[in-house]
Amino acid sequence: ITSIWGGDQMIVGPYISIPFLDPITVTNEDGSKTVSYSRKNLYVLPEVLDGEVDIVPENRSLGIYEAIVYEGDMKFSGKFVLPDFATLGIQEKYIEWNKAAVNMGVTDLRGVEGSVDFTWNDEVLEMNSGLSSTEIYPSGIHASVFIEKDKEYNFNMSSTLRGSNSFSVVPFGKQTRFSMNSPWQEPSFKGSYATAAYTPANDGFTAAWEVSHLNRNYPQAWSGRKYNPTVDFFGTEFIQ
C-alpha cells in the first residue's frame, strides 16, 4: 500500500545551494607554487520559516495488509538573507552565482500530487525533480534562482503531499514555526522537539511547534557535509 501511495514523509527545507570554487595552493619540490580548485557547495538556511499542514489520515487495506495513509495540504513561507562570505572563508570572486538553486527535501516523491507552487520574491518558479546535490538529503525538488549579495529573498510554497504512517519537518529556519491540523484522534508526536501547543478535540487535534536556531547543533550556513541536520526534527506518527 505504502509503496503505491507514498511512505513516511520528511520535509527538509527549503534551503539555498550556491556552488563556489575553493582554491588550494600547493608548493612544488622546486619551490614553485601551483593553484588548483575544488568545487564545493555553500548551503544557506532561511532566517524565517513558517509552515502549516492540514493532514487527513485514513486506514486502507489491501488483502491481508493494512496501513495508515494520509493526504496533507502544506504551505511554507519565509525569507533568506545571504551570509557574510568572508567569515565563511569564501572569496566572492569564486562564487558561481549563476548556478544557485533553492532546494526542498522530500522523502518520497511518489507522494507529490500535481504541481508544487513556489514563488521567489513574487517570481513563480518551475520546480524540478531531484536536488542540486545530495550532501544534505537524498531526495527532493529544486529550481534555479537568481541571487545577489545584500538582498533578502522571500518565498512561498504550497503543495499536496500523500504519505503514510508519519509526517515530519526539519526546522531549518533561524526561527521555525509550524502548525498541524488533523481529524486523527491518536497522534503520537515524535522527534527532537516537544510541541509548543497541543489542543485535542472531538474532531481531531491541532499542534504547533516553535524551534530556534539555538535549539539545533548546526549554523545557518555551511559548506559540504559538515553537518547532518536531519537527525533533529519534529512531527507526528499516526497510530491506530
Side-chain angles (χ1 to χ4, degrees):
I1 298 173
T2 60
S3 64
I4 299 172
W5 188 263
D8 296 82
Q9 296 285 18
M10 174 178 280
I11 305 300
V12 185
Y15 59 91
I16 300 173
S17 59
I18 309 173
F20 67 96
L21 298 178
D22 186 21
I24 302 172
T25 302
V26 178
T27 302
N28 302 312
E29 292 182 357
D30 60 0
S32 62
K33 297 182 183 296
T34 302
V35 179
S36 60
Y37 301 89
S38 63
R39 178 171 278 104
K40 297 181 178 180
N41 284 300
L42 172 67
Y43 300 107
V44 182
L45 309 187
E47 287 287 297
V48 176
L49 178 60
D50 294 323
E52 62 181 69
V53 64
D54 292 318
I55 195 164
V56 180
E58 61 176 298
N59 284 301
R60 289 206 173 187
S61 59
L62 181 64
I64 63 172
Y65 302 102
E66 291 187 357
I68 299 173
V69 301
Y70 60 77
E71 185 173 273
D73 293 326
M74 59 181 185
K75 297 179 181 178
F76 288 90
S77 63
K79 72 175 182 179
F80 286 93
V81 177
L82 296 184
D84 182 345
F85 297 103
T87 62
L88 296 171
I90 299 173
Q91 300 181 54
E92 289 187 29
K93 64 181 179 179
Y94 294 129
I95 296 175
E96 299 180 329
W97 297 101
N98 61 331
K99 296 181 180 178
V102 61
N103 301 263
M104 176 166 274
V106 181
T107 306
D108 193 341
L109 293 176
R110 293 172 300 179
V112 177
E113 283 194 9
S115 62
V116 175
D117 297 324
F118 203 112
T119 59
W120 182 260
N121 275 4
D122 298 324
E123 175 191 357
V124 178
L125 299 182
E126 182 178 351
M127 303 304 291
N128 300 294
S129 179
L131 299 169
S132 62
S133 80
T134 57
E135 289 182 319
I136 288 182
Y137 205 62
S139 174
I141 56 178
H142 79 283
S144 298
V145 290
F146 176 76
I147 59 173
E148 299 175 288
K149 59 176 294 188
D150 301 326
K151 289 188 67 175
E152 292 186 358
Y153 296 91
N154 300 304
F155 65 88
N156 287 275
M157 174 269 188
S158 63
S159 181
T160 299
L161 185 68
R162 298 192 311 265
S164 60
N165 302 320
S166 68
F167 178 94
S168 57
V169 174
V170 178
F172 264 11
K174 192 170 186 179
Q175 182 65 45
T176 299
R177 297 179 291 263
F178 190 83
S179 63
M180 178 183 291
N181 302 295
S182 177
W184 196 251
Q185 295 293 324
E186 298 182 27
S188 177
F189 301 120
K190 65 175 191 173
S192 309
Y193 308 98
T195 56
Y198 170 59
T199 306
N202 293 331
D203 58 352
F205 73 91
T206 298
W209 292 263
E210 293 187 11
V211 181
S212 163
H213 68 111
L214 298 175
N215 305 134
R216 320 167 320 211
N217 196 31
Y218 52 90
Q220 288 301 111
W222 72 85
S223 62
R225 300 180 182 270
K226 291 181 181 178
Y227 302 96
N228 183 16
T230 59
V231 298
D232 292 322
F233 63 90
F234 57 78
T236 303
E237 184 176 4
F238 301 98
I239 58 177
Q240 300 190 43

